[in-house]
Amino acid sequence: MKRVSKSEHRVRSAFKRLNRLHWLQNEGCELSFDLSALTKKLQKEAPEWKPEYAQNAAESLEARSGWIRTETDWSSLASLPLSKILDHAARRRGADFRDLTEYDPFAGLCDDAPLRALGALTLELKGGNFSSNHWETYLSRYSRKNDNYRLKLLVGGRITQVPIEDFKNILLTASSWFKVVGSELREKNPKMFQAVWDKFIDTITQHENSSGSSLVRQEIKEIDWTGEAINSPSGNLAELHMTDPAKENLEAGKGYPKAWLSKVDQLLKLPNDAHRYAMVIFAFNFSWFHCIDPTWTEQTLLKVIEDDEDIDDKDAIWAGFMWGARRLNADLYIKLKPHLLKMANERVSERRRHVEVLAGVLLSGWGSKDEKKRRFVTDEELRNVLLNSGEDFRSHILWHLERWSKDKQNDWDKEIFEFLQNVWPKHKKVRTSKTSARLCEIALHQTDNFPAVSQQVAQLVSKIGNEHAYIPEIRKTGRHEDEGSHNLVSKYPEDYLNLLYAILSDQPHQWPYRTNDVLKKIEKSDPKLLNDPRLIELKARLNEL
């Protein structure tokens, strides 16, 4: 604990005595001494003390918690002339933590009388002043979504009049407003839309340091390009541009309208991170861009990946691609495949947020075939990735495999055996407890080809030890009586036993919950197995508990 000096102690003591004595007097207590004289004496020790401090002398010192509500009553502004509104609102704005209330009358005015609020902002602007806090309050209110078109048009006009030096201070809030109302302005008044658009482009170009994301970047962590992009001015502009009807109903390979593409180029030419945020949004639509104009996409987006000149640009494009990764057309998949394989083989994915998506993209490539029935990702290519990547990546591959095989609208349940036989590595380094448990779970979901899949899985797993194995299907099988997929034990008791024998640890307390119930069902389903050495050994382990 920090030691308090004698002088600090005298100041604190004087403050507390003054607060308590004046509070007592304010509450009606008659004091037997001259408080005025004592106050003058104590104020020499605590010259910063003021009488109003005594009001809180009797309040509890315990910590308080709760939601701070916002009081937006603007009645105090109702009768004021426009020239007085902003100054009065600024004085009234603030928080009273004693009653957990924040007072913001201008916010209420923006909601209930937006034209009057805008009038006050306009008058201030004409006088050569600019209150960024009040502009941000106005533009950020949810009620702006419900403004009529004429008011939106009026706000757009006022924005074009704000000096760039001032506009840079509200860039993010204004771009969020523009993303919401821009579609209507573009449709009904293209000239005004273009003027506001140019205002943003000019401001970001001239003041790149003001065009950052609201998401705070942490130096010790990898950059979250997606999160930053959707919370940035240029990201908002890119999202707005992707809603332009001019891009609808375009024919594959025919390219984009020049006017539409010019705005894309504008955003991609913005300085530093501003253009990277736009890259994220456009790379989210990578497949669509390539479908409409393969040449432009390869020269603009794909070239950044291939050249490897600017790592941040490359990371931004991958972030957008992984964020919006969908089924890719064959031509684009072939061009991206070397980069996807390189990313997985070098385990770069483990330093990024893309493990799950990358695993799905590569597995879907293995499951897809060209016109000559050749897989886009070969058995060997995917097997090498599984060997070189980490356990997290392998786990995601199996997660996708299990999830897709449950969907009866595709043929993935028919691909599982071939995947396990030809792709999944036989190397001992992949036979971890976690992976073995997931492989077992996949086998137990195969109601149609359980014997073949379970036999294959039994050759790929190791005994699950050193940690408790969580295999829900075993627990369900032990609990239910011949319901749905849980009747595998009655249909294929020996295959089920063979799978259990392959994964069960020498320590029965590490076995999945209800395994002993499953063993009883195996006995019941096929009494001949009572003489099977595998079942005898498993029961012997149980007896050692």
Side-chain angles (χ1 to χ4, degrees), residues 213-225 227-228 273 277 351 353:
S213 172
S214 63
L215 202 66
V216 178
R217 183 177 297 179
Q218 300 182 28
E219 294 184 2
I220 61 174
K221 292 186 177 181
E222 178 191 357
I223 298 174
D224 179 7
W225 287 109
E228 290 190 14
D273 286 345
Y277 297 146
R351 300 198 305 270
R353 304 162 187 263

Side-chain angles (χ1 to χ4, degrees), residues 432-461:
T432 64
S433 292
K434 181 179 178 181
T435 299
S436 296
R438 188 169 284 280
L439 284 168
C440 180
E441 186 76 3
I442 289 176
L444 293 174
H445 276 109
Q446 307 312 304
T447 56
D448 297 329
N449 55 347
F450 176 73
V453 172
S454 64
Q455 289 288 335
Q456 189 63 40
V457 167
Q459 301 174 39
L460 301 173
V461 297

Side-chain angles (χ1 to χ4, degrees), residues 99 102 138 200 228 235 285 437-438 449 463 511 516 522:
D99 59 2
E102 181 178 4
Y138 183 88
F200 281 101
E228 290 190 14
N285 301 277
R438 188 169 284 280
N449 55 347
K463 296 186 182 302
W511 289 3
N516 56 331
I522 290 174

Side-chain angles (χ1 to χ4, degrees), residues 227-272:
E228 290 190 14
I230 62 178
N231 290 283
S232 70
S234 54
N236 286 334
L237 293 180
E239 288 191 75
L240 171 61
H241 189 49
M242 291 303 296
T243 66
D244 191 338
K247 63 178 262 297
E248 302 301 327
N249 302 317
L250 299 177
E251 294 184 37
K254 298 298 184 179
Y256 317 99
K258 290 184 178 180
W260 186 88
L261 193 58
S262 68
K263 283 186 168 58
V264 175
D265 291 333
Q266 273 186 311
L267 292 169
L268 293 179
K269 291 177 181 177
L270 291 174
N272 296 331

Side-chain angles (χ1 to χ4, degrees), residues 337 341-342 344-345 362 365-367 374-389 393 418-426:
K337 189 182 82 168
L341 291 173
K342 180 181 178 182
N345 278 310
L362 289 176
W366 176 83
R374 295 175 301 188
R375 297 187 184 275
F376 286 113
V377 177
T378 67
D379 294 347
E380 183 181 4
E381 287 172 335
L382 189 53
R383 184 167 57 252
N384 288 336
V385 166
L386 291 169
L387 273 171
N388 295 328
S389 61
F393 183 89
E418 186 173 348
F419 174 85
L420 295 173
Q421 185 179 51
N422 300 333
V423 178
W424 191 259
K426 310 298 189 294

Side-chain angles (χ1 to χ4, degrees), residues 25-60:
Q25 186 183 60
N26 293 339
E27 293 296 313
C29 295
E30 295 184 7
L31 303 178
S32 59
F33 51 86
D34 186 350
L35 181 58
S36 297
L38 181 60
T39 298
K40 291 180 180 179
K41 179 180 178 181
L42 292 174
Q43 277 191 303
K44 292 179 181 180
E45 299 287 349
E48 295 182 0
W49 179 85
K50 296 178 181 179
E52 53 264 32
Y53 295 162
Q55 297 176 4
N56 304 325
E59 287 192 355
S60 172

